[in-house]
Amino acid sequence: MRKKGFSVIGKPLPKVDAMAKCAGETVYADDLNLPRTIYAKLLRSPHAHARVLRVNPERALRLEGVYAVITGKDLPEKFGIMPATQDEEALAVDKVRYVGDPVAAVAAVSETLAEKALGYIDVEYEILKPVLTIEDALASTEESQRIHTWNRRANIQKAVSLEFGDMDGGFAQSDHIFEGTFFYQGNTHLPMEQYCAIGFYGPDNKLTLWSSTQTPHYLHRALAKVLGLPASRIRVIATPVGGGFGGKSDPFSHEISVAKLSMITRRPVKITLTREETFYVHRGRHPVKMWMKTGVKKDGTLQTMHFRSFLDGGGYSSYGLASVYYTGALQTVAYKLPSYKFEGVRVFTNKPACGPKRGHGTPQPRFAVEIQLDEIAEKLGMDPLELRLKQLTEANSITVNGLRISTTGLRECIEKVAERAEWKKKFRKLPFGHGIGFAASAYISGAGLPIYWNEMPHSGVQIKLDRSGGITVFCGSTDIGQGSDSILAYAVAEEFGVDPADIRVVTADTDLTPVDLGSYSSRVTVMTGNAAIEACGKLKKMLLEVAGEVLEVPADDLEFADGRVQSQSLPERGISFVECVQKAEAKFGTLGATGSYKPPKHPANYKGSGVGPTPAYTFTTAIVELHCDGETGEIKVDKIWIAHDCGRAFNPLLVEGQTEGSVYMALGEALMEEQIFRKSGLHKIPSILEYKSPTTLETPEIETILVETNDPEGPFGAKEAGQGPLLPVVPAVSNAVYDAVGVRIHEIPITPDKILRALDGRLKPVSVPDFQFPPPIKWQPGEGVQVPQKN
């Protein structure tokens, strides 16, 4: 046990007694019996919208075993994932913006005592009227109804308008114009693992934070900003994540709070949020209302599309800037559109902040697009698949909004899924109550730009070769169950011709590993895989040089295979990989190399063009067969066929697992999941008992078809598989319901009561707000420049 006031490097330290700063006071507590790890809890607001007038922790601090209480005054610096909209506080300073907004944090000897101490913190609120709907947010005019004051227009976070090509001409040339409204209910990630973190400010005056996070790099930045510490003195270790799906991509209050509490107490501080708290932390799928207008020729050829989205963002910005653009960016990727206009608005409401959930911002518009395409096909007397096949985008093309498509396997996906499901035998030919539906989609393999715009790599990899033949790969990526650690091992094993079991992968530690921006946007396979291959290439050059000298074989005749470096023309001439490494180390010294990856530049440069570009797009199709009871409205999904263009599958079993995970999550969104609130702002169902999600009993047989297109931008041709397959399943369910019972459901979840109301004509159309969008930014395809606005 070290002496108090003395560090291992011989410099005096401040007294390590537990200390709490409360409303300007410094309070000390006896720490003689302080355990090695202490526990934290957060006091959360019971009100959806209120001013915080006073927080008094004195009674809590008098409890024996309570070592620190902090409030918003201890952590006033704002933070957030997006640099332009950092509007969050670790603990509310002067206002709470949703039920569950944290206002104080306690550190105590046990979780039980910390929980008890929350009840001894006195908080005085001035209750304000909550804003709980998109319509109310857009109509807010009173100053007291403003949830934030930094934004220009009431409770509008961001309103955008983009126009590409000749919209007026597109509608004028159309023989038919279709218009519809849609609603995609918000839902949450429902990870098995709740949010948790441990902070430890050690005797060396350095902070280590272990957290269940998808983005250790961005969390590292937020900690430095809020705590006022040099980034070089902060270490973030992302622990194995028990389910993320986008919900652990933000920096969070609980992570910052345990770090601050540890700085005060000089002890490890641990926090684990309850399941109810996890529902309130949220960052899940935005509720989105949509309006869509499409013009087509008599033969079904698309001429133009006008799309509007209205996003309920909750109390804070989170990824909202990107979210609103994503609801409009990818409509042009699956099908050719000569002209396209997108208008979107994200509003603040007094509910938990929404953010990125699997497919971030794209399942909602895909739901609308694929239903309307089915409606168009029916009106024109066409097969829905034939309608889509008429206007598929092509490889090596640029869309009307400036997105570059490298490869596409959408045609093959459509044809294969139709063949397996026997589409032509079943569509419109099944008895009443039995239906089949189709939908298609496109998604990104990583974002083309980083969250903080800069010229640095998006992913870095270091590789160390040991003289024993061992290979260690260091990378900042986080494995959240998608298999990214395995991908690194596979890529390096393939390059060196060794068994993946001989490779050790070290990831997600900001002190030990190069920066990777995080596990989001399906970016890890493409970006870390390419970085790993680049690092391998530098080492292979040295290994081939020494092998050529030993074997007296030209380097260009050598290959890595079966744990050897050998001649391709005379395979019997070779040396073991271990011997080759030893000889290379003798010649060059310690063997190590770095690799990095930055996506290619995208062709468009208008404001908003940073959302949508990617190294490679994936394409997916789904066919859903189901039964729908016309008397009860109950739906039973019989089987789902899913075809996914994944580029090249590193490990087909892992790709199938990711694809089927997306299908399962999509079914929950389509049929039962919804994040809904009472008029007070309280969550109606913040528990797994009440928040309905499919179990194995509701999960049908899933037949997965992998379509490989070998994309030149991906490592060994690979593209993403973790998110894209979710997108077509939800609209395919809706289209199958129409085939079964003849009613269109334009909103999810598609519940029995909605089907019954639709069958007897009582289901009202989705209403969308009347809102004046800003004048559009007009961009001319092909020029790579923004077209100036006319006055």
Side-chain angles (χ1 to χ4, degrees), residues 546-547 550 575 578-588 591:
V546 296
V550 171
I575 57 173
V578 175
E579 183 183 353
C580 187
V581 168
Q582 291 170 350
K583 292 187 179 299
E585 185 174 344
K587 180 171 182 176
F588 298 109
L591 297 177

Side-chain angles (χ1 to χ4, degrees), residues 482-754:
Q482 84 279 38
S484 60
D485 285 3
S486 298
I487 292 297
L488 283 167
Y490 299 155
V492 174
E494 182 73 17
E495 286 291 298
F496 288 126
V498 299
D499 190 325
D502 293 332
I503 296 169
R504 183 180 298 276
V505 177
V506 178
T507 57
D509 183 327
T510 59
D511 264 14
L512 300 182
T513 61
V515 168
D516 177 80
L517 298 183
S519 290
Y520 62 92
S521 296
S522 278
R523 56 177 298 284
V524 180
T525 292
V526 169
M527 299 199 185
T528 65
N530 277 323
I533 290 171
E534 183 180 276
C536 288
K538 296 174 182 178
L539 290 166
K540 287 169 69 176
K541 186 177 180 181
M542 291 186 279
L543 296 175
L544 290 171
E545 182 178 327
V546 296
E549 292 171 358
V550 171
L551 299 172
E552 298 180 341
V553 172
D556 59 7
D557 183 43
L558 293 171
E559 65 176 356
F560 294 82
D562 301 320
R564 287 165 49 84
V565 184
Q566 61 191 29
S567 167
Q568 296 181 64
S569 55
L570 299 167
E572 66 276 8
R573 299 188 66 178
I575 57 173
S576 71
F577 181 77
V578 175
E579 183 183 353
C580 187
V581 168
Q582 291 170 350
K583 292 187 179 299
E585 185 174 344
K587 180 171 182 176
F588 298 109
T590 302
L591 297 177
T594 61
S596 57
Y597 178 76
K598 187 164 60 174
K601 295 284 187 182
H602 58 278
N605 67 346
Y606 55 86
K607 186 177 181 180
S609 64
V611 174
T614 183
Y617 294 96
T618 60
F619 298 85
T620 314
T621 57
I623 288 179
V624 173
E625 187 171 347
L626 55 75
H627 280 81
C628 181
D629 191 312
E631 294 186 359
T632 66
E634 261 190 275
I635 294 172
K636 182 182 182 298
V637 178
D638 303 310
K639 187 171 180 178
I640 296 178
W641 293 263
I642 186 100
H644 182 60
D645 164 20
C646 61
R648 185 177 181 186
F650 269 59
N651 180 332
L653 187 63
L654 276 182
V655 177
E656 288 178 17
Q658 284 293 290
T659 302
E660 291 172 12
S662 285
V663 171
Y664 161 82
M665 188 168 279
L667 275 180
E669 297 189 10
L671 299 175
M672 59 189 77
E673 293 188 35
E674 49 186 340
Q675 178 99 334
I676 50 177
F677 299 85
R678 304 182 188 280
K679 291 181 180 179
S680 63
L682 279 169
H683 199 299
K684 283 188 175 182
I685 44 175
S687 78
I688 293 181
L689 286 174
E690 299 165 296
Y691 182 92
K692 302 303 179 188
S693 184
T695 68
T696 53
L697 296 176
E698 289 83 34
T699 304
E701 179 185 353
I702 302 169
E703 184 174 336
T704 302
I705 305 155
L706 301 184
V707 172
E708 296 189 295
T709 48
N710 200 22
D711 195 285
E713 297 293 340
F716 305 108
K719 299 194 282 190
E720 74 88 31
Q723 301 189 58
L726 180 147
L727 274 62
V729 176
V730 183
V733 169
S734 181
N735 289 335
V737 167
Y738 180 77
D739 189 47
V741 294
V743 292
R744 292 276 181 198
I745 309 296
H746 278 206
E747 57 184 290
I748 65 154
I750 303 170
T751 53
D753 66 299
K754 290 174 186 171

Side-chain angles (χ1 to χ4, degrees), residues 86-132:
Q86 300 201 344
D87 53 13
E88 299 187 54
E89 297 155 347
L91 301 169
V93 174
D94 54 13
K95 198 177 198 183
V96 290
R97 295 173 174 85
Y98 68 95
V99 172
D101 216 351
V103 296
V106 174
V109 68
S110 69
E111 267 193 306
T112 303
L113 180 58
E115 183 77 35
K116 178 182 177 181
L118 298 181
Y120 286 75
I121 301 173
D122 299 311
V123 185
E124 184 181 346
Y125 297 96
E126 178 190 342
I127 299 174
L128 303 172
K129 183 180 178 181
V131 176
L132 296 171

Side-chain angles (χ1 to χ4, degrees), residues 42-59:
L42 296 175
L43 177 66
R44 297 180 179 275
S45 167
H47 308 296
H49 196 194
R51 291 190 179 93
V52 180
L53 303 180
R54 185 176 64 93
V55 182
N56 186 350
E58 289 181 5
R59 291 195 305 130

Side-chain angles (χ1 to χ4, degrees), residues 163-493:
E163 187 173 323
F164 311 95
D166 182 4
M167 292 294 296
D168 292 338
F171 280 117
Q173 293 166 17
S174 299
D175 297 315
H176 300 278
I177 296 174
F178 295 81
E179 190 174 326
T181 56
F182 306 84
F183 177 57
Y184 203 107
Q185 179 60 277
N187 46 68
T188 199
H189 311 87
L190 207 66
M192 292 297 290
E193 176 200 46
Q194 294 131 240
Y195 295 87
C196 49
I198 299 175
F200 181 44
Y201 193 75
D204 55 358
N205 289 335
K206 291 183 178 179
L207 171 69
T208 301
L209 184 84
W210 293 263
S211 182
S212 174
T213 178
Q214 296 177 232
T215 53
H217 170 66
Y218 291 123
L219 175 55
H220 185 264
R221 295 183 72 125
L223 289 168
K225 183 176 189 286
V226 178
L227 299 174
L229 292 175
S232 59
R233 296 186 185 180
I234 298 173
R235 179 183 185 185
V236 175
I237 300 172
T239 57
V241 177
F245 316 113
K248 296 172 182 174
S249 301
D250 287 77
F252 289 106
S253 296
H254 64 276
E255 295 164 322
I256 298 168
S257 294
V258 293
K260 181 66 174 180
L261 288 167
S262 182
M263 291 173 68
I264 292 169
T265 64
R266 293 300 183 103
R267 294 292 186 268
V269 181
K270 179 180 180 180
I271 189 168
T272 303
L273 303 192
T274 65
R275 178 60 63 184
E276 183 174 358
E277 286 180 295
T278 298
F279 273 93
Y280 281 105
V281 171
H282 189 42
R283 309 300 162 114
R285 188 85 71 211
H286 285 74
V288 180
K289 290 191 169 188
M290 295 163 282
W291 172 89
M292 180 179 170
K293 182 179 177 183
T294 306
V296 298
K297 300 292 278 185
K298 291 178 182 178
D299 65 356
T301 305
L302 296 175
Q303 297 300 295
T304 190
M305 181 184 294
H306 186 180
F307 192 92
R308 289 178 179 155
S309 61
F310 304 82
L311 290 76
D312 182 342
Y316 293 98
S317 292
S318 183
Y319 283 83
L321 278 180
S323 305
V324 66
Y325 281 109
Y326 268 126
T327 59
L330 302 189
Q331 276 82 310
T332 62
V333 175
Y335 312 115
K336 293 178 186 175
L337 278 171
S339 58
Y340 174 62
K341 184 175 183 179
F342 164 62
E343 295 170 311
V345 59
R346 185 182 190 264
V347 300
F348 291 121
T349 58
N350 291 118
K351 293 182 285 189
C354 298
K357 186 187 175 190
R358 206 171 197 165
H360 187 194
T362 62
Q364 299 97 323
R366 185 54 52 187
F367 175 71
V369 168
E370 294 297 316
I371 291 175
Q372 190 165 97
L373 287 178
D374 259 40
E375 293 171 342
I376 292 170
E378 183 177 41
K379 176 72 174 180
L380 300 181
M382 295 179 66
D383 184 297
L385 275 65
E386 295 301 324
L387 175 79
R388 291 165 171 88
L389 286 167
K390 284 182 67 70
Q391 43 235 334
L392 302 184
T393 54
E394 298 168 354
N396 302 311
S397 64
I398 296 176
T399 68
V400 70
N401 57 334
L403 303 178
R404 181 187 289 112
I405 299 170
S406 51
T407 58
T408 170
L410 184 51
R411 181 175 298 277
E412 191 176 350
C413 285
I414 293 173
E415 292 170 349
K416 285 196 171 183
V417 80
E419 179 186 356
R420 296 281 187 93
E422 298 183 315
W423 172 265
K424 291 190 179 296
K425 291 183 180 179
K426 297 175 182 176
F427 180 64
R428 297 291 190 264
K429 297 173 184 176
L430 298 172
F432 182 83
H434 187 186
I436 192 167
F438 171 86
S441 66
Y443 194 62
I444 60 174
S445 298
L449 289 172
I451 291 173
Y452 288 78
W453 287 16
N454 58 67
E455 295 300 318
M456 290 183 283
H458 292 211
S459 186
V461 167
Q462 280 180 304
I463 297 178
K464 177 178 73 71
L465 300 185
D466 187 80
R467 61 186 63 174
S468 66
I471 303 171
T472 306
V473 182
F474 299 88
C475 182
S477 60
T478 306
D479 198 318
I480 58 172
Q482 84 279 38
S484 60
D485 285 3
S486 298
I487 292 297
L488 283 167
Y490 299 155
V492 174

